[in-house]
Amino acid sequence: MWIDMMIPINHPGSLSGFQAALPEPYMFDRPDRFTSYQHAEHPHALIKDDHHQWYLSMRWECESLTELKYMRQVHRPSYADEQTILKLVDYLNETSFTAKMDDFDKAFVHTTIFTDNVEDIPPGRQLRIANADGEDDPSVIRNLHFIDNLYNGRRTRFLSGFETYSMATVTENRYYLEHVHLPASAALYLQYFVYFQRYGYVPSKQMMARLLENLWTSTQAKKTNWNPALFTVEAVTDY
């Protein structure tokens, strides 16, 4: 599974060696919503939004949901022993970036999984993927909220986590995965998601952005202004 993450950080300091790049036209309603700074020698990017908030952005891969659960930790939780590997915590320490997250302990995350058939992944596991839950986490939510996209007879499913700063994509379309999603959409949709979580809306007029905003709104506890006709709800019985 591929893990795209964005972590709010304090000002990163010097940008020596980093090159700024604005998004392609029409991705956002204004081109300055996010500015990405890339460095040829670093696996991470630095991103600044139009509220002058900075983020550390990277993509990692992992093999299990439990690994994902611990990978996105920004701070070491009290229940984790010293042998538990917290990859992001270690990375922040090594690179001297300081996370600016006092009210939540995990990075914003977009998880991507390829499968031969979406139905091969039980709804309960899809919900765990959407919530970035470990295999042994307790079940709380009993519904799965998602949008299905069909292209050349192959499905791609976009799922929303429930108050977990997480979202996910499960696809059986290898062409979409390799030529569209991983090169562009995975990181773009995460930027939409972060902006939505922090400022309350998705700054884009594109159809998919609007549909995702409606989906994400439906999984927030204090929001009621969403259209139930624009996504699917499936009851989970195998969590």
Side-chain angles (χ1 to χ4, degrees):
M1 69 182 74
W2 295 267
I3 314 300
D4 286 87
M5 290 189 293
M6 285 178 64
I7 306 94
I9 58 172
N10 291 325
H11 193 286
S14 172
L15 296 176
S16 176
F18 283 87
Q19 298 293 322
L22 290 173
E24 295 181 18
Y26 311 115
M27 286 184 174
F28 295 92
D29 56 355
R30 292 203 324 251
D32 64 343
R33 292 298 191 182
F34 285 98
T35 303
S36 179
Y37 297 83
Q38 307 281 342
H39 195 295
E41 298 180 1
H42 296 313
H44 61 259
L46 298 171
I47 297 176
K48 184 179 70 171
D49 69 25
D50 61 342
H51 292 256
H52 304 289
Q53 299 299 307
W54 286 90
Y55 306 87
L56 183 67
S57 173
M58 75 275 286
R59 173 177 295 159
W60 286 336
E61 295 183 33
C62 67
E63 299 297 327
S64 71
L65 288 174
T66 295
E67 186 181 356
L68 165 61
K69 169 186 174 179
Y70 288 115
M71 179 183 288
R72 64 184 291 236
Q73 288 286 157
V74 173
H75 308 287
R76 179 172 288 275
S78 58
Y79 56 80
D81 58 37
E82 294 183 0
Q83 285 70 44
T84 302
I85 296 174
L86 302 177
K87 187 174 180 178
L88 180 55
V89 172
D90 293 340
Y91 193 82
L92 289 169
N93 290 333
E94 291 168 4
T95 53
S96 300
F97 292 116
T98 302
K100 194 177 181 181
M101 296 186 76
D102 298 324
D103 58 349
F104 204 79
D105 62 343
K106 300 177 184 67
F108 295 95
V109 65
H110 181 180
T111 302
T112 300
I113 291 180
F114 176 78
T115 179
D116 290 331
N117 189 325
V118 169
E119 301 302 332
D120 288 343
I121 304 177
R125 185 167 178 81
Q126 291 187 42
L127 186 55
R128 286 192 181 276
I129 294 166
N131 287 330
D133 283 339
E135 281 87 353
D136 60 348
D137 281 326
S139 61
V140 178
I141 305 301
R142 295 294 181 175
N143 289 306
L144 188 67
H145 288 205
F146 60 88
I147 297 170
D148 269 345
N149 173 24
L150 190 66
Y151 178 69
N152 282 346
R154 309 297 289 174
R155 281 173 298 176
T156 298
R157 178 166 293 181
F158 303 96
L159 306 110
S160 180
F162 288 74
E163 302 288 5
T164 53
Y165 279 22
S166 64
M167 56 178 290
T169 299
V170 177
T171 184
E172 57 191 34
N173 190 321
R174 185 172 292 280
Y175 180 88
Y176 169 77
L177 175 76
E178 295 178 350
H179 296 277
V180 180
H181 188 77
L182 292 178
S185 296
L188 174 63
Y189 291 171
L190 182 57
Q191 289 179 27
Y192 288 160
F193 183 66
V194 169
Y195 205 98
F196 169 78
Q197 291 285 342
R198 305 205 82 184
Y199 307 121
Y201 66 100
V202 173
S204 173
K205 297 180 180 179
Q206 297 297 314
M207 179 192 71
M208 194 62 197
R210 295 294 183 89
L211 292 176
L212 288 171
E213 179 178 347
N214 184 68
L215 174 67
W216 298 333
T217 302
S218 75
T219 58
Q220 289 197 332
K222 294 184 178 181
K223 295 285 184 69
T224 58
N225 57 329
W226 39 270
N227 186 341
L230 299 179
F231 60 91
T232 300
V233 177
E234 182 174 339
V236 173
T237 59
D238 62 334
Y239 201 99

